[in-house]
Amino acid sequence: MRPKVALFGDSITEDSFTNGGWGAALANHFSRTADVVLRGYSGYNTRWALKVAARAFDGVCSDGERPLALTVFFGANDASIPDRSSGFQHVPLDEYQSNLRSIISFFKERWPTTVIVLITPPPIDEDGRLRNPFGENPSGLPERTNESAGAYAKACIAVATESNIPVIDMWSKMQQFPSWEKSFLSDGLHFTASGNKILFEEVVEKLKESGFSPDALPVDLPLLSEIDPKDPLKAFEN
């Protein structure tokens, strides 16, 4: 059985298998060595994710099996401004941290050796959110702000540090590049192909640091280079 890499998150994870998505790129990266399992739920915050985690991952691995690694990517919805159009998705900062701790504990108890990688919410292009509002927006104000996303990103990093697990700081990483607002975000929140590439590269690096790369993992069946043209079936005898 091939090992698995599982992706747990909101719409940025759910959309990750679209053309140019970071999840699709990851599946291609591990195409002969691991299966990438998608568990993305558009609009979800950590409160809802904690509620459904057991159900979402039921059957992902057989008894005695566990994923090699798991990404946990929530916060963009938690950081919604509470009195604006996406306020129903808002989770207070202290609860966000508590929920992340509980999600980490759930997976550590279930799969003690699985490497868990936290991903912070990305930065927000407020102009992009005004141009692409969620539903009706009578206030005329963006339902998410970059300042709020930054606070949740720092809170996510703090939880990762105290839990001694890897973290990818997408909020800071994207803002290192000029014109990141339109280059990396399609609507002020979700990723363009270039934004997806940034996250893909970061995930690959974190997994490599944990010892998981295509070169370090065995293939499940013989490679073409291992098959003798004069006796092809011999390669499949063992």
Side-chain angles (χ1 to χ4, degrees), residues 30-223:
F30 286 105
S31 61
R32 287 296 297 269
T33 53
D35 291 332
V36 178
V37 179
L38 179 63
R39 291 295 184 271
Y41 301 93
S42 179
Y44 277 43
N45 55 33
T46 53
R47 184 184 296 160
W48 305 347
L50 180 58
K51 186 77 172 176
V52 305
R55 199 183 328 171
F57 283 86
D58 184 38
V60 165
C61 288
S62 303
D63 290 344
E65 300 291 330
R66 50 88 185 178
L68 290 176
L70 166 74
T71 61
V72 177
F73 188 8
F74 291 98
N77 297 313
D78 301 65
S80 298
I81 306 303
D83 60 352
R84 298 184 189 175
S85 60
S86 293
F88 72 99
Q89 295 171 294
H90 172 77
V91 172
L93 194 60
D94 57 347
E95 184 191 343
Y96 169 68
Q97 288 190 295
S98 177
N99 290 340
L100 281 180
R101 293 185 187 102
S102 295
I103 290 169
I104 292 166
S105 295
F106 168 77
F107 285 116
K108 280 191 170 183
E109 182 176 344
R110 186 167 186 168
W111 297 313
T113 59
T114 295
V115 172
I116 300 171
V117 180
L118 285 188
I119 304 173
T120 75
I124 296 294
D125 170 24
E126 294 169 28
D127 172 70
R129 293 313 302 148
L130 285 174
R131 294 172 183 270
N132 300 274
F134 178 80
E136 296 183 4
N137 185 26
S139 72
L141 298 170
E143 89 288 8
R144 291 165 171 80
T145 68
N146 198 35
E147 180 181 7
S148 179
Y152 282 71
K154 290 177 182 177
C156 178
I157 293 168
V159 170
T161 300
E162 70 182 39
S163 303
N164 194 31
I165 63 175
V167 62
I168 297 171
D169 182 3
M170 285 300 288
W171 189 81
S172 297
K173 182 69 178 181
M174 281 188 165
Q175 292 184 87
Q176 293 175 3
F177 296 85
S179 304
W180 61 268
E181 295 93 337
K182 309 303 180 192
S183 296
F184 296 150
L185 303 174
S186 63
D187 60 358
L189 170 63
H190 299 95
F191 294 173
T192 63
S194 296
N196 275 288
K197 185 173 184 291
I198 292 288
L199 181 53
F200 163 70
E201 291 173 349
E202 291 292 308
V203 172
V204 166
E205 183 60 29
K206 288 298 179 187
L207 295 181
K208 186 176 181 181
E209 290 172 3
S210 298
F212 305 135
S213 67
D215 292 339
L217 295 171
V219 295
D220 55 353
L221 291 170
L223 298 171

